[in-house]
Amino acid sequence: MTDNTKKLLDEAMEALGADSCKRGKDWNGYEVYIPVYGNGGYVGLPLVVLVKDGDVRISTEEEAFEYLDHENN
């Protein structure tokens, strides 16, 4: 992961209010990073951060649920 990609990943996690992240299972050609929340956790949609070819973005609601299905299979 390049320094710029790492910076964008950190910014995405900050936008989600996460304390850190952990690597999830690859999905649809993306590296997946799961937000980790401290002190009481998080209530809301299970959004993840998707990374592909240096592009970093927060999943859509639909992608978040598709990823949950993928992760649990």
Short mmCIF file of all heavy atoms in Angstrom, two decimals:
data_model
loop_
_atom_site.label_atom_id
_atom_site.label_comp_id
_atom_site.label_asym_id
_atom_site.label_seq_id
_atom_site.Cartn_x
_atom_site.Cartn_y
_atom_site.Cartn_z
N MET A 1 0.86 -1.17 0.00
CA MET A 1 0.00 0.00 0.00
C MET A 1 0.91 1.23 0.00
O MET A 1 1.83 1.32 0.80
CB MET A 1 -0.91 -0.03 1.23
CG MET A 1 -1.79 1.18 1.36
SD MET A 1 -2.90 1.17 2.80
CE MET A 1 -3.85 -0.26 2.51
N THR A 2 0.62 2.16 -0.88
CA THR A 2 1.42 3.37 -0.95
C THR A 2 1.10 4.30 0.22
O THR A 2 0.06 4.15 0.87
CB THR A 2 1.15 4.14 -2.26
OG1 THR A 2 -0.19 4.63 -2.24
CG2 THR A 2 1.38 3.26 -3.48
N ASP A 3 1.98 5.24 0.46
CA ASP A 3 1.75 6.22 1.53
C ASP A 3 0.47 7.01 1.27
O ASP A 3 -0.28 7.29 2.20
CB ASP A 3 2.94 7.18 1.66
CG ASP A 3 4.16 6.52 2.26
OD1 ASP A 3 4.02 5.44 2.88
OD2 ASP A 3 5.26 7.08 2.13
N ASN A 4 0.22 7.37 0.00
CA ASN A 4 -0.98 8.13 -0.31
C ASN A 4 -2.24 7.30 -0.06
O ASN A 4 -3.22 7.81 0.48
CB ASN A 4 -0.95 8.62 -1.76
CG ASN A 4 -2.11 9.56 -2.06
OD1 ASN A 4 -2.30 10.55 -1.37
ND2 ASN A 4 -2.88 9.24 -3.08
N THR A 5 -2.21 6.03 -0.44
CA THR A 5 -3.36 5.15 -0.20
C THR A 5 -3.60 5.00 1.30
O THR A 5 -4.75 5.04 1.76
CB THR A 5 -3.16 3.78 -0.85
OG1 THR A 5 -2.92 3.96 -2.26
CG2 THR A 5 -4.35 2.87 -0.65
N LYS A 6 -2.53 4.84 2.07
CA LYS A 6 -2.65 4.74 3.53
C LYS A 6 -3.26 6.01 4.10
O LYS A 6 -4.14 5.95 4.97
CB LYS A 6 -1.27 4.47 4.14
CG LYS A 6 -1.23 4.51 5.65
CD LYS A 6 -1.93 3.32 6.27
CE LYS A 6 -1.66 3.30 7.76
NZ LYS A 6 -2.87 3.22 8.55
N LYS A 7 -2.83 7.16 3.59
CA LYS A 7 -3.38 8.45 4.05
C LYS A 7 -4.88 8.53 3.74
O LYS A 7 -5.68 8.93 4.59
CB LYS A 7 -2.64 9.60 3.38
CG LYS A 7 -3.12 10.96 3.77
CD LYS A 7 -2.31 12.05 3.07
CE LYS A 7 -2.79 13.40 3.45
NZ LYS A 7 -3.55 14.07 2.41
N LEU A 8 -5.27 8.12 2.53
CA LEU A 8 -6.68 8.14 2.16
C LEU A 8 -7.50 7.17 3.00
O LEU A 8 -8.63 7.47 3.39
CB LEU A 8 -6.84 7.83 0.68
CG LEU A 8 -6.28 8.86 -0.30
CD1 LEU A 8 -6.31 8.32 -1.72
CD2 LEU A 8 -7.03 10.17 -0.19
N LEU A 9 -6.92 6.01 3.32
CA LEU A 9 -7.59 5.05 4.18
C LEU A 9 -7.80 5.64 5.57
O LEU A 9 -8.89 5.54 6.13
CB LEU A 9 -6.78 3.75 4.25
CG LEU A 9 -7.31 2.65 5.17
CD1 LEU A 9 -8.70 2.21 4.76
CD2 LEU A 9 -6.35 1.48 5.19
N ASP A 10 -6.77 6.26 6.11
CA ASP A 10 -6.89 6.90 7.43
C ASP A 10 -7.97 7.98 7.42
O ASP A 10 -8.75 8.11 8.36
CB ASP A 10 -5.55 7.50 7.87
CG ASP A 10 -4.51 6.45 8.22
OD1 ASP A 10 -4.89 5.27 8.44
OD2 ASP A 10 -3.31 6.80 8.26
N GLU A 11 -8.03 8.76 6.34
CA GLU A 11 -9.05 9.81 6.23
C GLU A 11 -10.46 9.22 6.16
O GLU A 11 -11.40 9.76 6.76
CB GLU A 11 -8.78 10.68 5.00
CG GLU A 11 -7.56 11.57 5.16
CD GLU A 11 -7.19 12.30 3.88
OE1 GLU A 11 -7.87 12.14 2.84
OE2 GLU A 11 -6.19 13.06 3.92
N ALA A 12 -10.61 8.10 5.44
CA ALA A 12 -11.92 7.45 5.37
C ALA A 12 -12.35 6.93 6.74
O ALA A 12 -13.51 7.07 7.13
CB ALA A 12 -11.88 6.30 4.35
N MET A 13 -11.40 6.35 7.47
CA MET A 13 -11.73 5.86 8.82
C MET A 13 -12.09 7.01 9.74
O MET A 13 -13.03 6.91 10.54
CB MET A 13 -10.56 5.05 9.39
CG MET A 13 -10.36 3.73 8.74
SD MET A 13 -11.82 2.66 8.87
CE MET A 13 -11.50 1.53 7.54
N GLU A 14 -11.39 8.11 9.60
CA GLU A 14 -11.72 9.30 10.41
C GLU A 14 -13.12 9.79 10.06
O GLU A 14 -13.90 10.15 10.95
CB GLU A 14 -10.69 10.39 10.16
CG GLU A 14 -10.89 11.60 11.04
CD GLU A 14 -9.80 12.65 10.84
OE1 GLU A 14 -8.66 12.29 10.58
OE2 GLU A 14 -10.14 13.84 10.97
N ALA A 15 -13.48 9.79 8.77
CA ALA A 15 -14.81 10.22 8.35
C ALA A 15 -15.90 9.33 8.94
O ALA A 15 -17.00 9.79 9.21
CB ALA A 15 -14.90 10.24 6.83
N LEU A 16 -15.57 8.06 9.15
CA LEU A 16 -16.53 7.12 9.75
C LEU A 16 -16.51 7.17 11.28
O LEU A 16 -17.30 6.49 11.93
CB LEU A 16 -16.22 5.69 9.29
CG LEU A 16 -16.51 5.39 7.82
CD1 LEU A 16 -15.97 4.03 7.44
CD2 LEU A 16 -18.01 5.49 7.54
N GLY A 17 -15.59 7.93 11.85
CA GLY A 17 -15.49 8.02 13.30
C GLY A 17 -14.83 6.83 13.94
O GLY A 17 -15.00 6.59 15.14
N ALA A 18 -14.08 6.06 13.15
CA ALA A 18 -13.43 4.85 13.67
C ALA A 18 -12.10 5.17 14.33
O ALA A 18 -11.42 6.12 13.93
CB ALA A 18 -13.21 3.86 12.53
N ASP A 19 -11.74 4.37 15.32
CA ASP A 19 -10.46 4.52 16.00
C ASP A 19 -9.33 3.88 15.20
O ASP A 19 -8.19 4.33 15.26
CB ASP A 19 -10.51 3.89 17.40
CG ASP A 19 -11.50 4.61 18.29
OD1 ASP A 19 -11.55 5.85 18.25
OD2 ASP A 19 -12.23 3.92 19.02
N SER A 20 -9.65 2.82 14.49
CA SER A 20 -8.66 2.11 13.68
C SER A 20 -9.43 1.23 12.70
O SER A 20 -10.64 1.36 12.55
CB SER A 20 -7.73 1.27 14.56
OG SER A 20 -8.46 0.27 15.25
N CYS A 21 -8.71 0.33 12.04
CA CYS A 21 -9.38 -0.59 11.13
C CYS A 21 -8.66 -1.92 11.13
O CYS A 21 -7.52 -2.04 11.60
CB CYS A 21 -9.44 -0.03 9.72
SG CYS A 21 -7.85 0.21 8.92
N LYS A 22 -9.36 -2.93 10.64
CA LYS A 22 -8.74 -4.25 10.46
C LYS A 22 -9.03 -4.70 9.05
O LYS A 22 -10.01 -4.29 8.42
CB LYS A 22 -9.25 -5.26 11.48
CG LYS A 22 -10.71 -5.62 11.34
CD LYS A 22 -11.14 -6.64 12.37
CE LYS A 22 -12.60 -7.04 12.14
NZ LYS A 22 -13.01 -8.11 13.02
N ARG A 23 -8.15 -5.52 8.53
CA ARG A 23 -8.29 -6.01 7.16
C ARG A 23 -9.37 -7.07 7.12
O ARG A 23 -9.39 -7.99 7.94
CB ARG A 23 -6.95 -6.57 6.70
CG ARG A 23 -6.92 -7.15 5.31
CD ARG A 23 -6.95 -6.06 4.26
NE ARG A 23 -7.19 -6.62 2.96
CZ ARG A 23 -6.25 -6.95 2.09
NH1 ARG A 23 -4.99 -6.74 2.38
NH2 ARG A 23 -6.56 -7.45 0.92
N GLY A 24 -10.28 -6.94 6.17
CA GLY A 24 -11.32 -7.93 5.96
C GLY A 24 -10.95 -8.84 4.80
O GLY A 24 -9.85 -8.76 4.25
N LYS A 25 -11.89 -9.68 4.42
CA LYS A 25 -11.70 -10.57 3.27
C LYS A 25 -11.86 -9.75 1.98
O LYS A 25 -12.75 -8.91 1.88
CB LYS A 25 -12.77 -11.68 3.27
CG LYS A 25 -12.58 -12.70 4.36
CD LYS A 25 -13.74 -13.67 4.51
CE LYS A 25 -14.26 -14.29 3.26
NZ LYS A 25 -15.34 -15.30 3.52
N ASP A 26 -10.98 -10.00 1.01
CA ASP A 26 -11.11 -9.34 -0.29
C ASP A 26 -12.50 -9.63 -0.85
O ASP A 26 -13.07 -10.71 -0.64
CB ASP A 26 -10.05 -9.82 -1.26
CG ASP A 26 -8.66 -9.30 -0.90
OD1 ASP A 26 -8.53 -8.46 0.01
OD2 ASP A 26 -7.70 -9.74 -1.56
N TRP A 27 -13.05 -8.65 -1.59
CA TRP A 27 -14.39 -8.77 -2.13
C TRP A 27 -14.49 -8.02 -3.45
O TRP A 27 -14.09 -6.86 -3.52
CB TRP A 27 -15.39 -8.21 -1.11
CG TRP A 27 -16.79 -8.11 -1.59
CD1 TRP A 27 -17.68 -9.14 -1.74
CD2 TRP A 27 -17.49 -6.93 -1.99
NE1 TRP A 27 -18.88 -8.67 -2.21
CE2 TRP A 27 -18.79 -7.31 -2.36
CE3 TRP A 27 -17.15 -5.59 -2.05
CZ2 TRP A 27 -19.73 -6.39 -2.81
CZ3 TRP A 27 -18.08 -4.68 -2.50
CH2 TRP A 27 -19.37 -5.08 -2.86
N ASN A 28 -14.97 -8.67 -4.48
CA ASN A 28 -15.19 -8.06 -5.80
C ASN A 28 -13.99 -7.27 -6.31
O ASN A 28 -14.14 -6.20 -6.89
CB ASN A 28 -16.42 -7.15 -5.78
CG ASN A 28 -17.72 -7.93 -5.83
OD1 ASN A 28 -17.71 -9.16 -5.97
ND2 ASN A 28 -18.82 -7.25 -5.73
N GLY A 29 -12.79 -7.78 -6.06
CA GLY A 29 -11.58 -7.12 -6.53
C GLY A 29 -11.08 -6.02 -5.62
O GLY A 29 -10.10 -5.35 -5.95
N TYR A 30 -11.73 -5.81 -4.50
CA TYR A 30 -11.33 -4.78 -3.54
C TYR A 30 -10.62 -5.38 -2.34
O TYR A 30 -10.98 -6.48 -1.90
CB TYR A 30 -12.56 -4.03 -2.99
CG TYR A 30 -13.24 -3.12 -3.96
CD1 TYR A 30 -14.35 -3.55 -4.69
CD2 TYR A 30 -12.80 -1.81 -4.15
CE1 TYR A 30 -15.00 -2.72 -5.57
CE2 TYR A 30 -13.44 -0.98 -5.03
CZ TYR A 30 -14.54 -1.42 -5.74
OH TYR A 30 -15.17 -0.59 -6.62
N GLU A 31 -9.66 -4.65 -1.80
CA GLU A 31 -9.19 -4.91 -0.44
C GLU A 31 -10.23 -4.26 0.45
O GLU A 31 -10.68 -3.14 0.17
CB GLU A 31 -7.84 -4.26 -0.19
CG GLU A 31 -6.71 -4.83 -0.99
CD GLU A 31 -5.41 -4.08 -0.74
OE1 GLU A 31 -5.31 -3.29 0.22
OE2 GLU A 31 -4.49 -4.27 -1.55
N VAL A 32 -10.62 -4.93 1.51
CA VAL A 32 -11.67 -4.41 2.39
C VAL A 32 -11.07 -4.13 3.77
O VAL A 32 -10.34 -4.95 4.32
CB VAL A 32 -12.84 -5.41 2.52
CG1 VAL A 32 -13.90 -4.88 3.48
CG2 VAL A 32 -13.45 -5.69 1.14
N TYR A 33 -11.41 -2.96 4.30
CA TYR A 33 -10.98 -2.57 5.64
C TYR A 33 -12.21 -2.26 6.47
O TYR A 33 -13.09 -1.50 6.06
CB TYR A 33 -10.03 -1.36 5.57
CG TYR A 33 -8.74 -1.73 4.88
CD1 TYR A 33 -8.62 -1.67 3.50
CD2 TYR A 33 -7.67 -2.21 5.61
CE1 TYR A 33 -7.46 -2.06 2.86
CE2 TYR A 33 -6.50 -2.61 4.99
CZ TYR A 33 -6.40 -2.52 3.61
OH TYR A 33 -5.25 -2.92 2.99
N ILE A 34 -12.26 -2.89 7.63
CA ILE A 34 -13.41 -2.80 8.51
C ILE A 34 -13.10 -1.83 9.64
O ILE A 34 -12.09 -1.98 10.34
CB ILE A 34 -13.75 -4.19 9.09
CG1 ILE A 34 -14.03 -5.17 7.94
CG2 ILE A 34 -14.91 -4.11 10.06
CD1 ILE A 34 -14.07 -6.62 8.35
N PRO A 35 -13.95 -0.81 9.84
CA PRO A 35 -13.72 0.13 10.93
C PRO A 35 -13.79 -0.55 12.29
O PRO A 35 -14.60 -1.45 12.49
CB PRO A 35 -14.88 1.14 10.79
CG PRO A 35 -15.45 0.92 9.43
CD PRO A 35 -15.15 -0.50 9.07
N VAL A 36 -12.93 -0.11 13.19
CA VAL A 36 -12.93 -0.59 14.57
C VAL A 36 -13.23 0.61 15.46
O VAL A 36 -12.56 1.64 15.37
CB VAL A 36 -11.57 -1.22 14.95
CG1 VAL A 36 -11.55 -1.60 16.42
CG2 VAL A 36 -11.27 -2.43 14.07
N TYR A 37 -14.25 0.47 16.28
CA TYR A 37 -14.71 1.55 17.15
C TYR A 37 -14.41 1.20 18.60
O TYR A 37 -14.70 0.09 19.03
CB TYR A 37 -16.21 1.79 16.97
CG TYR A 37 -16.58 2.14 15.55
CD1 TYR A 37 -17.00 1.15 14.65
CD2 TYR A 37 -16.48 3.44 15.10
CE1 TYR A 37 -17.32 1.47 13.34
CE2 TYR A 37 -16.80 3.77 13.78
CZ TYR A 37 -17.22 2.77 12.92
OH TYR A 37 -17.53 3.09 11.62
N GLY A 38 -13.88 2.12 19.34
CA GLY A 38 -13.61 1.91 20.75
C GLY A 38 -14.72 2.48 21.60
O GLY A 38 -15.67 3.09 21.10
N ASN A 39 -14.61 2.26 22.89
CA ASN A 39 -15.53 2.87 23.86
C ASN A 39 -17.00 2.81 23.48
O ASN A 39 -17.60 3.80 23.12
CB ASN A 39 -15.13 4.32 24.15
CG ASN A 39 -13.76 4.40 24.77
OD1 ASN A 39 -13.30 3.45 25.40
ND2 ASN A 39 -13.10 5.53 24.61
N GLY A 40 -17.55 1.64 23.51
CA GLY A 40 -19.00 1.52 23.32
C GLY A 40 -19.42 1.16 21.92
O GLY A 40 -20.59 0.94 21.69
N GLY A 41 -18.52 1.15 20.98
CA GLY A 41 -18.87 0.70 19.64
C GLY A 41 -19.58 1.72 18.79
O GLY A 41 -19.48 2.92 19.00
N TYR A 42 -20.34 1.23 17.84
CA TYR A 42 -20.96 2.04 16.81
C TYR A 42 -22.34 1.48 16.52
O TYR A 42 -22.52 0.27 16.44
CB TYR A 42 -20.09 1.99 15.56
CG TYR A 42 -20.71 2.60 14.33
CD1 TYR A 42 -20.74 3.97 14.16
CD2 TYR A 42 -21.29 1.79 13.35
CE1 TYR A 42 -21.30 4.52 13.03
CE2 TYR A 42 -21.84 2.34 12.22
CZ TYR A 42 -21.85 3.71 12.06
OH TYR A 42 -22.41 4.27 10.95
N VAL A 43 -23.30 2.36 16.33
CA VAL A 43 -24.64 1.94 15.94
C VAL A 43 -24.93 2.55 14.58
O VAL A 43 -24.85 3.77 14.41
CB VAL A 43 -25.69 2.41 16.97
CG1 VAL A 43 -27.08 2.05 16.50
CG2 VAL A 43 -25.41 1.81 18.33
N GLY A 44 -25.23 1.73 13.63
CA GLY A 44 -25.51 2.22 12.29
C GLY A 44 -25.22 1.15 11.26
O GLY A 44 -24.99 -0.01 11.59
N LEU A 45 -25.22 1.56 10.00
CA LEU A 45 -24.95 0.61 8.92
C LEU A 45 -23.53 0.09 9.00
O LEU A 45 -22.61 0.81 9.39
CB LEU A 45 -25.17 1.30 7.57
CG LEU A 45 -26.62 1.67 7.27
CD1 LEU A 45 -26.69 2.52 6.02
CD2 LEU A 45 -27.44 0.40 7.09
N PRO A 46 -23.31 -1.16 8.58
CA PRO A 46 -21.99 -1.77 8.67
C PRO A 46 -21.09 -1.39 7.48
O PRO A 46 -20.65 -2.23 6.70
CB PRO A 46 -22.32 -3.27 8.66
CG PRO A 46 -23.54 -3.35 7.80
CD PRO A 46 -24.34 -2.11 8.14
N LEU A 47 -20.86 -0.09 7.31
CA LEU A 47 -20.06 0.38 6.19
C LEU A 47 -18.61 -0.09 6.33
O LEU A 47 -18.10 -0.21 7.44
CB LEU A 47 -20.10 1.91 6.11
CG LEU A 47 -21.48 2.53 5.90
CD1 LEU A 47 -21.38 4.05 5.94
CD2 LEU A 47 -22.11 2.06 4.60
N VAL A 48 -17.98 -0.35 5.20
CA VAL A 48 -16.57 -0.73 5.15
C VAL A 48 -15.87 0.21 4.18
O VAL A 48 -16.52 0.94 3.43
CB VAL A 48 -16.39 -2.20 4.71
CG1 VAL A 48 -16.98 -3.15 5.74
CG2 VAL A 48 -16.99 -2.47 3.34
N VAL A 49 -14.55 0.16 4.18
CA VAL A 49 -13.77 0.98 3.24
C VAL A 49 -13.18 0.04 2.20
O VAL A 49 -12.60 -0.99 2.52
CB VAL A 49 -12.68 1.78 3.98
CG1 VAL A 49 -11.82 2.54 2.99
CG2 VAL A 49 -13.32 2.74 4.97
N LEU A 50 -13.36 0.42 0.94
CA LEU A 50 -12.93 -0.38 -0.19
C LEU A 50 -11.73 0.27 -0.85
O LEU A 50 -11.72 1.47 -1.10
CB LEU A 50 -14.07 -0.52 -1.20
CG LEU A 50 -15.39 -1.07 -0.64
CD1 LEU A 50 -16.49 -0.97 -1.69
CD2 LEU A 50 -15.22 -2.49 -0.17
N VAL A 51 -10.71 -0.54 -1.17
CA VAL A 51 -9.48 -0.05 -1.79
C VAL A 51 -9.20 -0.88 -3.03
O VAL A 51 -9.16 -2.11 -2.97
CB VAL A 51 -8.28 -0.13 -0.82
CG1 VAL A 51 -7.01 0.33 -1.50
CG2 VAL A 51 -8.54 0.66 0.44
N LYS A 52 -9.02 -0.19 -4.17
CA LYS A 52 -8.67 -0.87 -5.42
C LYS A 52 -7.82 0.08 -6.26
O LYS A 52 -8.23 1.22 -6.51
CB LYS A 52 -9.93 -1.24 -6.20
CG LYS A 52 -9.64 -2.00 -7.50
CD LYS A 52 -10.88 -2.12 -8.36
CE LYS A 52 -11.57 -3.44 -8.15
NZ LYS A 52 -12.71 -3.61 -9.08
N ASP A 53 -6.64 -0.38 -6.65
CA ASP A 53 -5.75 0.39 -7.52
C ASP A 53 -5.49 1.80 -6.98
O ASP A 53 -5.48 2.77 -7.74
CB ASP A 53 -6.32 0.48 -8.94
CG ASP A 53 -6.49 -0.89 -9.58
OD1 ASP A 53 -5.67 -1.79 -9.29
OD2 ASP A 53 -7.44 -1.06 -10.37
N GLY A 54 -5.32 1.93 -5.68
CA GLY A 54 -5.03 3.22 -5.06
C GLY A 54 -6.24 4.09 -4.81
O GLY A 54 -6.14 5.15 -4.21
N ASP A 55 -7.41 3.65 -5.29
CA ASP A 55 -8.66 4.37 -5.05
C ASP A 55 -9.24 3.89 -3.73
O ASP A 55 -9.36 2.68 -3.52
CB ASP A 55 -9.64 4.13 -6.20
CG ASP A 55 -10.95 4.87 -6.03
OD1 ASP A 55 -10.92 6.04 -5.61
OD2 ASP A 55 -12.01 4.27 -6.31
N VAL A 56 -9.60 4.81 -2.87
CA VAL A 56 -10.14 4.48 -1.55
C VAL A 56 -11.51 5.13 -1.42
O VAL A 56 -11.66 6.33 -1.68
CB VAL A 56 -9.21 5.00 -0.42
CG1 VAL A 56 -9.80 4.70 0.95
CG2 VAL A 56 -7.81 4.40 -0.57
N ARG A 57 -12.50 4.33 -1.05
CA ARG A 57 -13.84 4.89 -0.86
C ARG A 57 -14.61 4.10 0.18
O ARG A 57 -14.32 2.94 0.44
CB ARG A 57 -14.61 4.93 -2.18
CG ARG A 57 -14.94 3.57 -2.74
CD ARG A 57 -15.65 3.70 -4.09
NE ARG A 57 -16.03 2.40 -4.63
CZ ARG A 57 -17.13 1.74 -4.32
NH1 ARG A 57 -18.00 2.24 -3.46
NH2 ARG A 57 -17.39 0.57 -4.87
N ILE A 58 -15.59 4.77 0.74
CA ILE A 58 -16.50 4.13 1.70
C ILE A 58 -17.58 3.42 0.90
O ILE A 58 -18.09 3.95 -0.09
CB ILE A 58 -17.09 5.18 2.66
CG1 ILE A 58 -15.97 5.83 3.47
CG2 ILE A 58 -18.14 4.56 3.57
CD1 ILE A 58 -16.40 7.02 4.30
N SER A 59 -17.92 2.22 1.33
CA SER A 59 -18.93 1.44 0.62
C SER A 59 -20.28 2.14 0.63
O SER A 59 -20.58 2.97 1.48
CB SER A 59 -19.08 0.06 1.28
OG SER A 59 -19.61 0.20 2.58
N THR A 60 -21.11 1.75 -0.34
CA THR A 60 -22.50 2.17 -0.31
C THR A 60 -23.23 1.28 0.69
O THR A 60 -22.68 0.26 1.14
CB THR A 60 -23.16 2.00 -1.70
OG1 THR A 60 -23.19 0.60 -2.03
CG2 THR A 60 -22.41 2.80 -2.77
N GLU A 61 -24.46 1.63 1.00
CA GLU A 61 -25.26 0.80 1.90
C GLU A 61 -25.43 -0.60 1.32
O GLU A 61 -25.26 -1.61 2.02
CB GLU A 61 -26.63 1.44 2.14
CG GLU A 61 -26.55 2.76 2.86
CD GLU A 61 -27.88 3.48 2.93
OE1 GLU A 61 -28.93 2.89 2.56
OE2 GLU A 61 -27.88 4.64 3.36
N GLU A 62 -25.74 -0.69 0.04
CA GLU A 62 -25.94 -1.98 -0.62
C GLU A 62 -24.66 -2.81 -0.58
O GLU A 62 -24.70 -4.01 -0.27
CB GLU A 62 -26.39 -1.77 -2.06
CG GLU A 62 -26.69 -3.05 -2.80
CD GLU A 62 -27.18 -2.83 -4.21
OE1 GLU A 62 -27.85 -1.81 -4.47
OE2 GLU A 62 -26.89 -3.69 -5.05
N GLU A 63 -23.53 -2.19 -0.89
CA GLU A 63 -22.26 -2.91 -0.85
C GLU A 63 -21.94 -3.41 0.55
O GLU A 63 -21.40 -4.51 0.71
CB GLU A 63 -21.12 -2.00 -1.32
CG GLU A 63 -21.14 -1.72 -2.80
CD GLU A 63 -20.15 -0.66 -3.21
OE1 GLU A 63 -19.87 0.27 -2.41
OE2 GLU A 63 -19.64 -0.74 -4.34
N ALA A 64 -22.27 -2.63 1.56
CA ALA A 64 -22.00 -3.03 2.94
C ALA A 64 -22.73 -4.34 3.27
O ALA A 64 -22.14 -5.25 3.85
CB ALA A 64 -22.42 -1.93 3.91
N PHE A 65 -23.99 -4.44 2.87
CA PHE A 65 -24.75 -5.66 3.15
C PHE A 65 -24.27 -6.83 2.29
O PHE A 65 -24.21 -7.97 2.75
CB PHE A 65 -26.25 -5.41 2.99
CG PHE A 65 -26.81 -4.58 4.11
CD1 PHE A 65 -27.28 -3.30 3.88
CD2 PHE A 65 -26.85 -5.07 5.41
CE1 PHE A 65 -27.78 -2.52 4.91
CE2 PHE A 65 -27.35 -4.31 6.45
CZ PHE A 65 -27.82 -3.03 6.20
N GLU A 66 -23.89 -6.55 1.03
CA GLU A 66 -23.33 -7.60 0.19
C GLU A 66 -22.03 -8.13 0.78
O GLU A 66 -21.77 -9.33 0.77
CB GLU A 66 -23.09 -7.08 -1.23
CG GLU A 66 -24.35 -6.85 -2.02
CD GLU A 66 -24.10 -6.21 -3.37
OE1 GLU A 66 -22.92 -6.11 -3.81
OE2 GLU A 66 -25.09 -5.82 -4.01
N TYR A 67 -21.21 -7.21 1.31
CA TYR A 67 -19.96 -7.64 1.93
C TYR A 67 -20.23 -8.49 3.17
O TYR A 67 -19.56 -9.49 3.40
CB TYR A 67 -19.06 -6.46 2.28
CG TYR A 67 -17.79 -6.94 2.95
CD1 TYR A 67 -16.82 -7.58 2.21
CD2 TYR A 67 -17.62 -6.84 4.33
CE1 TYR A 67 -15.67 -8.10 2.81
CE2 TYR A 67 -16.49 -7.36 4.95
CZ TYR A 67 -15.52 -7.99 4.19
OH TYR A 67 -14.42 -8.52 4.79
N LEU A 68 -21.21 -8.11 3.97
CA LEU A 68 -21.56 -8.92 5.15
C LEU A 68 -21.90 -10.35 4.74
O LEU A 68 -21.47 -11.30 5.38
CB LEU A 68 -22.74 -8.31 5.91
CG LEU A 68 -22.44 -7.27 6.95
CD1 LEU A 68 -23.74 -6.80 7.59
CD2 LEU A 68 -21.49 -7.78 8.00
N ASP A 69 -22.70 -10.49 3.67
CA ASP A 69 -23.03 -11.83 3.18
C ASP A 69 -21.77 -12.57 2.77
O ASP A 69 -21.61 -13.76 3.07
CB ASP A 69 -24.00 -11.75 2.00
CG ASP A 69 -25.40 -11.39 2.40
OD1 ASP A 69 -25.75 -11.55 3.59
OD2 ASP A 69 -26.16 -10.95 1.52
N HIS A 70 -20.87 -11.89 2.07
CA HIS A 70 -19.62 -12.50 1.62
C HIS A 70 -18.75 -12.91 2.81
O HIS A 70 -18.19 -14.00 2.82
CB HIS A 70 -18.86 -11.48 0.75
CG HIS A 70 -17.45 -11.85 0.44
ND1 HIS A 70 -17.12 -12.84 -0.45
CD2 HIS A 70 -16.28 -11.36 0.92
CE1 HIS A 70 -15.81 -12.93 -0.52
NE2 HIS A 70 -15.28 -12.06 0.30
N GLU A 71 -18.66 -12.05 3.79
CA GLU A 71 -17.80 -12.31 4.96
C GLU A 71 -18.31 -13.50 5.78
O GLU A 71 -17.53 -14.24 6.35
CB GLU A 71 -17.74 -11.06 5.83
CG GLU A 71 -16.76 -11.16 6.97
CD GLU A 71 -16.68 -9.88 7.76
OE1 GLU A 71 -17.73 -9.32 8.13
OE2 GLU A 71 -15.56 -9.43 8.00
N ASN A 72 -19.62 -13.68 5.80
CA ASN A 72 -20.20 -14.74 6.61
C ASN A 72 -20.32 -16.07 5.88
O ASN A 72 -20.85 -17.03 6.43
CB ASN A 72 -21.56 -14.30 7.15
CG ASN A 72 -21.41 -13.20 8.18
OD1 ASN A 72 -20.50 -13.23 8.99
ND2 ASN A 72 -22.29 -12.20 8.10
N ASN A 73 -19.87 -16.12 4.65
CA ASN A 73 -19.91 -17.39 3.88
C ASN A 73 -18.54 -17.96 3.71
O ASN A 73 -17.55 -17.42 3.82
CB ASN A 73 -20.58 -17.18 2.52
CG ASN A 73 -22.07 -16.93 2.67
OD1 ASN A 73 -22.72 -17.53 3.51
ND2 ASN A 73 -22.58 -16.05 1.86
#
